[in-house]
Amino acid sequence: MRVFLAAAFALASVDAATRVAVVEIGKSGTVRRTTSRSNDASPDGVASFWSALHGYGRKLQHAGMPVVPDLFSRPESGVVVGLTGVDLDNMPQLNALMTEEGSNGVVGHMEVAGQHCNTMLRNVDNVASVEPATLDNAFKSQAAESGISALKMQVTSEIAADVDSQIAADLEKLRVDAAASGKTVIVHIIVEEDDGAARRRRLARRLSEDEEQEEGDEENNDGDEEAEDEDGEGNQQQANGFYGYGYYNSYGEWVTPYKTMFQIQYFNVVLWTALGLIAALFFAIYLMINMPMMADTLLFGQSALAVNAD
C-alpha cells in the first residue's frame, strides 16, 4: 500500500507544476527578459532572482534564467502572490498573465516542476495568509512597503472566479497608483496548479508539440523535394546571384573571377603576415650588419692569444 501511494505521489509530482509570472507595474526597466528559450527554473533559482532584484540575502543569481534584474534600476517594492490549488481554466484573466508575455506588464515567466509554492515563500520573511475578503487590503498595504513581501491563498473552484477578477482589479489599481507616484512595483504571481489541471495542461501541451513536430516534418519533406527539383538550377542561380559573371570550363566547372569573403579575408591575413615576417627578418639583418665589433671578442681570436701568452 505504501509503495502504491509513493508511486501515485511521484506521478502527481511529475504532472504538477509551479509557475511564476513577473509583472512590472509602473516605471519599466527594472527587469529584463533574457534570450533564453526555456522557462525552466528551480526554487533556489527563483529565490536567487528575488534576492538579486530586491536586494536581500545573497545577490548572485543563478545562470540561464529567463528573467534578470537591471544593473542600474531597482523597484521600490515587490509583492509575491502565492496561489495554490489553482485551475487556470476557471481563471481566464490569470491564465492570460501566466501565458502571455509583453502585455499587461508581464516581463517573463519561470516554471518549476512539482509543487513548490510554499518552498519558494519560505525565502520571504513577511508572508501573510489571506482570504478573498482581505486580499484587496493586504495587497495594497504590501505594495506600499519597501522590499519584498508575500501573500498566500488557497484557491478552490468555488472562489476561483472571484479571485481571478479581484487580482486583475488590484493590478489595475496598483498600475494607476504607480503611474501617479512614479514608483515601480514588481508583482511575482506564483500559481501552483492542482494535479488534475496540471495533468490536463501538460497533456494538451504534449499534443500541441506533437502536432507542431508533424507539421515541421511535413515542411522539411516539402523542402527536400523542392531542393531536389531546384538542384539542376543551382549552378545557374549561383552564377546569377552570388558570384556574378562567370563561365563553365570544358570540365563543366563554374569559373568566376570574383572572390568570396572568406577568400578575401584569407588572402589578406596571409599577405600581411608574410610581409610582417619579411620586414622583421630584414630589420634583424640590418641590425646585425651595423652591430659594432669589439676587439676582445672571439671573432678577433683574442682568447687564443691569451692562452699562448701563458
Side-chain angles (χ1 to χ4, degrees), residues 54 77-81 121 124-128 138-139 141-151 186 188:
H54 300 286
S77 178
V79 180
V80 180
V81 180
L121 291 178
V124 183
D125 295 333
N126 184 13
V127 180
F139 185 84
S141 62
Q142 293 204 2
E145 298 179 1
S146 59
I148 186 171
S149 55
L151 304 173
I186 303 297
H188 309 271

Side-chain angles (χ1 to χ4, degrees), residues 133-168:
T134 59
L135 175 61
D136 190 10
N137 294 331
F139 185 84
K140 184 176 181 179
S141 62
Q142 293 204 2
E145 298 179 1
S146 59
I148 186 171
S149 55
L151 304 173
K152 182 173 65 173
M153 177 188 295
Q154 175 71 27
V155 180
T156 61
S157 58
E158 290 78 10
I159 63 174
D162 294 336
V163 173
D164 184 43
S165 59
Q166 194 167 358
I167 290 177

Side-chain angles (χ1 to χ4, degrees), residues 13-73:
S13 61
V14 170
D15 289 329
T18 304
R19 301 157 69 184
V20 182
V22 181
V23 185
E24 189 176 36
I25 305 296
K27 186 178 180 181
S28 61
T30 59
V31 181
R32 305 291 181 180
R33 181 69 166 87
T34 66
T35 57
S36 176
R37 297 182 179 180
S38 175
N39 293 334
D40 294 338
S42 64
D44 292 337
V46 176
S48 69
F49 168 68
W50 291 347
S51 63
L53 177 62
H54 300 286
Y56 75 93
R58 59 188 179 186
K59 301 295 181 65
L60 184 62
Q61 182 179 351
H62 289 191
M65 298 191 64
V67 287
V68 294
D70 187 73
L71 293 176
F72 306 103
S73 303

Side-chain angles (χ1 to χ4, degrees), residues 74-133:
R74 286 288 185 271
E76 282 75 16
S77 178
V79 180
V80 180
V81 180
L83 306 175
T84 59
V86 176
D87 186 355
L88 289 176
D89 294 336
N90 297 327
M91 307 176 74
Q93 298 183 79
L94 182 61
N95 187 25
L97 293 175
M98 304 307 297
T99 55
E100 300 175 3
E101 294 184 3
S103 60
N104 297 320
V106 179
V107 180
H109 298 94
M110 292 175 284
E111 183 169 343
V112 181
Q115 297 177 338
H116 294 286
C117 180
N118 293 328
T119 303
M120 289 186 282
L121 291 178
R122 293 192 190 103
N123 297 283
V124 183
D125 295 333
N126 184 13
V127 180
S129 298
V130 297
E131 299 294 334

